[in-house]
């Protein structure tokens, strides 16, 4: 089945770009509102000297960005950590693990 009166591909592309920009802007604003908050982060990957990457309880993959931890010391994938949000990078949060590493239980235990 086909539909008549289709929009031109350029119109469709422009509308998609506009909606995408709006979604990114709103998600970035939500990230900025978390500055100073403490979040629980599931560590997903660790890169030796450059920190670790994970997701807060409120962050869904491919939707809400991720949390960049300011240190990787003592962290391993699967570990939960309490961290304070100190900055944002677009939709991503930058967070500093809390005192004593701020570590909590291993994921799944």
């Amino acid at each position: 089945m086909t539909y008549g009166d289709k929009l031109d591909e350029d119109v469709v592309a422009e509308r998609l770009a506009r909606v995408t920009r709006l979604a990114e802007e709103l998600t970035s604003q939500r990230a900025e509102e978390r500055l100073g908050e403490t979040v629980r982060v599931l560590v997903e990957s660790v890169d030796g000297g450059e920190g670790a990457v994970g997701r807060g309880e409120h962050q869904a993959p491919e939707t809400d960005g991720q949390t960049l931890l300011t240190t990787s010391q003592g962290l391993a994938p699967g570990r939960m950590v309490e961290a304070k949000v100190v900055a944002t990078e677009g939709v991503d949060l930058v967070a500093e693990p809390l005192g004593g590493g701020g570590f909590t239980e291993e994921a799944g235990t």
Side-chain angles (χ1 to χ4, degrees):
M1 176 176 190
T2 62
Y3 295 97
D5 300 326
K6 291 183 181 182
L7 293 173
D8 184 58
E9 287 184 32
D10 290 341
V11 173
V12 173
E14 187 277 325
R15 289 181 181 180
L16 177 61
R18 187 173 9 156
V19 170
T20 300
R21 282 191 308 270
L22 178 60
E24 288 173 359
E25 181 180 323
L26 292 172
T27 307
S28 293
Q29 286 175 356
R30 283 184 30 211
E32 287 179 15
E33 291 170 1
R34 291 195 180 272
L35 284 171
E37 284 187 15
T38 298
V39 294
R40 284 176 45 108
V41 179
L42 173 63
V43 177
E44 293 182 332
S45 66
V46 176
D47 182 5
E50 296 192 23
V53 176
R55 295 199 187 277
E57 294 173 318
H58 65 282
Q59 293 175 311
E62 299 179 22
T63 304
D64 297 313
Q66 56 193 6
T67 300
L68 311 169
L69 296 164
T70 59
T71 182
S72 61
Q73 186 174 15
L75 298 179
R79 176 71 81 179
M80 294 294 293
V81 62
E82 298 275 330
K84 181 177 180 179
V85 178
V86 295
T88 63
E89 292 183 6
V91 300
D92 297 330
L93 301 178
V94 178
E96 182 177 304
L98 295 176
F103 306 119
T104 60
E105 72 280 354
E106 292 279 341
T109 60

